Structures are given as structure tokens and as C-alpha cells.
């Protein structure tokens, strides 16, 4: 296990549900990231936060809403998702924004019915 | 469209042999190159990074970079069953030293006893 934790590890939700993913890092890092990984596809960067401020939104649909209350915590709020949003959602952190070494959490496996 | 391309595999390698993985990238301005390892159902972990043309060795792993031909390779010597995983490569997507990571889909390696 790394110093980045994610909860829940698995989530099944309907298209009308609202749920949230949580990420916490215990590494003293200042930058945090959300990535999406669909089956057999590359990791896609979704959002970047640096010192709690969002610095990157990679054209993500508004049904995904990130929140970063402090440098250690990152949330991804989900509402009215589509089945094609089913994927592994990975949180990562690094000491500085876009540092070479990003530490990944274990991910949340999301299934949208 | 900037892309990072990898053969998806699976690459079957006998135990003790050398596994050779290749990654090509389209952005000629890419500066930093990374190899990750991702076990099934787990998050990616960084195993090597390389910035300069040539070879970089770390234990059983060697990264090879050829910027003129726009490819980066990973050699795994004395392959072990524990090396069975998917190996995504990643490159920075800008000409800056620090930039967004753009991932390939990864090459699946299967080491057979």
C-alpha cells in the first residue's frame, strides 16, 4: 500500500444516484490528481489541484465535480453518470504540481448500471 | 493529436529471459519519459524514468531512449513470474521539463515458468 488511500474501493451506482469518491494522502504533498482508466485504454488525466486550487480540468463533463478542501484530501462527486463512465478512478499525489513521480492510490472500481 | 503508442501484447517471456517493451510517441517536444508497472486490479507504480538519449540501468531494468526516432524501450533482464504485469509508458506532453503525463495503454507481460 502507498501513502495514498481511496474509498470506496468498489462502487456500483445507478444513473440517477449521487455518490462521492474520497482520496487522502499522508505524504505531505501539495498536488493531487484524478485519473480515469477504462479497460485496455491509457490513463486519462481528469483534474489537477495544486495547493487546493484547481489548475487543470481536462474537458471533463460536469457530471464529475471535484473538491479539494485541503492539500491532503480530494473528492470526486458523481451525479447522473452514464454506463460509459464505468472505469477505475485513480487518485495520485506529488510533492509539486506535475512532479516526475506521482504516487497513485489503489483506485475505486466504479460500475454504473 | 499527441499520442503514446504501445503494443498491447500479451508478450510471453520464458522465466529467466529478457523482456523487451517498446513505446513510441508523437510529440517531438517531449522531454521526460517514464515506465510504470501495473499489476492486475492495482494502481500504477513508477519503476524508471529517463531524460537523456541512451541507456539507464536500475537493477534488472534498463530504459533506452532515442529521441531522434521518438521511442523509449524497457528491458527486463532475468524475467521472473512476479514481473507479470502491464507496463504503461508515459511522456510529458509539453516541451517544459515538468508537464502533464500522457500515458500509453500499456504492454501486458506474461512470464512463464
Amino acid at each position: 500500500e502507498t501513502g495514498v488511500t481511496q474509498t470506496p474501493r468498489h462502487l456500483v451506482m445507478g444513473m440517477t444516484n449521487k455518490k462521492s469518491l474520497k482520496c487522502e494522502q499522508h505524504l505531505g504533498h501539495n498536488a493531487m490528481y484524478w485519473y480515469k482508466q477504462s479497460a485496455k485504454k491509457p490513463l486519462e488525466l481528469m483534474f489537477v489541484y495544486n495547493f487546493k486550487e484547481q489548475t487543470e480540468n481536462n474537458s471533463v463533463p460536469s457530471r464529475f465535480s471535484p473538491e479539494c478542501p485541503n492539500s491532503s484530501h480530494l473528492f470526486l462527486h458523481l451525479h447522473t453518470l452514464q454506463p460509459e463512465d464505468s472505469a477505475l478512478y485513480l487518485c495520485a499525489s506529488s510533492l509539486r504540481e506535475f512532479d516526475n513521480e506521482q504516487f497513485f492510490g489503489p483506485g475505486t472500481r466504479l460500475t454504473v448500471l | 493529436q499527441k499520442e503514446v503508442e504501445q503494443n498491447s501484447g500479451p508478450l510471453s517471456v520464458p522465466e529467466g529471459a529478457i523482456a523487451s517493451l517498446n513505446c513510441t510517441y508523437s510529440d517531438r517536444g517531449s522531454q521526460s519519459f517514464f515506465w510504470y508497472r501495473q499489476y492486475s486490479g492495482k494502481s500504477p507504480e513508477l519503476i524508471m524514468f529517463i531524460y537523456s538519449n541512451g541507456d539507464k540501468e536500475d537493477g534488472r531494468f534498463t530504459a533506452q531512449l532515442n529521441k531522434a526516432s521518438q521511442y523509449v524501450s524497457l528491458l527486463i533482464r532475468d524475467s521472473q513470474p512476479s514481473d507479470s504485469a502491464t507496463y504503461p509508458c508515459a511522456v510529458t506532453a509539453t516541451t517544459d521539463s515538468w508537464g502533464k503525463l500522457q500515458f500509453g495503454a500499456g504492454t501486458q507481460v506474461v512470464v512463464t515458468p
Side-chain angles (χ1 to χ4, degrees):
Chain A
E1 277 302 281
T2 66
V4 181
T5 59
Q6 289 186 244
T7 55
R9 297 292 302 275
H10 300 273
L11 178 62
V12 180
M13 61 186 289
M15 289 190 286
T16 59
N17 290 158
K18 289 185 180 181
K19 296 287 184 183
S20 295
L21 309 185
K22 179 182 176 182
C23 174
E24 184 173 359
Q25 58 94 1
H26 310 275
L27 302 169
H29 289 169
N30 299 306
M32 297 186 77
Y33 312 78
W34 279 117
Y35 285 89
K36 175 185 178 182
Q37 188 174 32
S38 302
K40 303 295 185 184
K41 291 187 177 180
L43 275 79
E44 301 172 52
L45 181 66
M46 301 175 71
F47 300 103
V48 181
Y49 278 81
N50 191 39
F51 289 98
K52 303 189 302 179
E53 298 298 320
Q54 186 180 126
T55 58
E56 186 79 24
N57 177 336
N58 203 22
S59 303
V60 181
S62 60
R63 57 185 184 270
F64 295 91
S65 176
E67 179 189 359
C68 188
N70 54 61
S71 293
S72 298
H73 293 86
L74 185 64
F75 295 89
L76 187 62
H77 303 300
L78 316 171
H79 61 98
T80 60
L81 294 192
Q82 305 298 311
E84 59 264 30
D85 296 323
S86 299
L88 180 68
Y89 288 85
L90 290 158
C91 173
S93 71
S94 62
L95 182 59
R96 293 178 299 266
E97 187 180 15
F98 296 133
D99 247 358
N100 285 326
E101 187 159 16
Q102 295 181 17
F103 294 81
F104 285 85
T108 295
R109 174 70 62 186
L110 174 67
T111 303
V112 181
L113 302 177
Chain B
Q1 179 72 20
K2 300 182 177 68
E3 292 182 348
V4 178
E5 300 284 348
Q6 295 181 256
N7 188 321
S8 62
L11 176 66
S12 184
V13 180
E15 186 174 356
I18 296 175
S20 178
L21 292 72
N22 292 314
C23 173
T24 60
Y25 58 94
S26 61
D27 183 2
R28 189 168 286 279
S30 298
Q31 295 292 313
S32 304
F33 308 86
F34 308 85
W35 282 101
Y36 285 80
R37 176 176 61 201
Q38 188 172 19
Y39 292 111
S40 180
K42 302 292 186 182
S43 57
E45 56 179 321
L46 181 67
I47 54 174
M48 296 245 0
F49 59 86
I50 185 168
Y51 306 137
S52 304
N53 279 327
D55 295 359
K56 179 181 179 182
E57 186 174 317
D58 184 359
R60 295 187 295 112
F61 299 100
T62 299
Q64 300 174 317
L65 176 61
N66 184 323
K67 289 186 179 181
S69 301
Q70 294 179 238
Y71 78 80
V72 55
S73 302
L74 180 70
L75 301 178
I76 307 174
R77 290 183 300 279
D78 187 23
S79 295
Q80 302 297 310
S82 60
D83 295 324
S84 297
T86 297
Y87 291 80
C89 73
V91 305
T92 51
T94 73
T95 55
D96 297 329
S97 295
W98 314 111
K100 287 188 289 187
L101 287 175
Q102 189 162 12
F103 285 85
T107 296
Q108 184 186 5
V109 172
V110 178
V111 179
T112 55

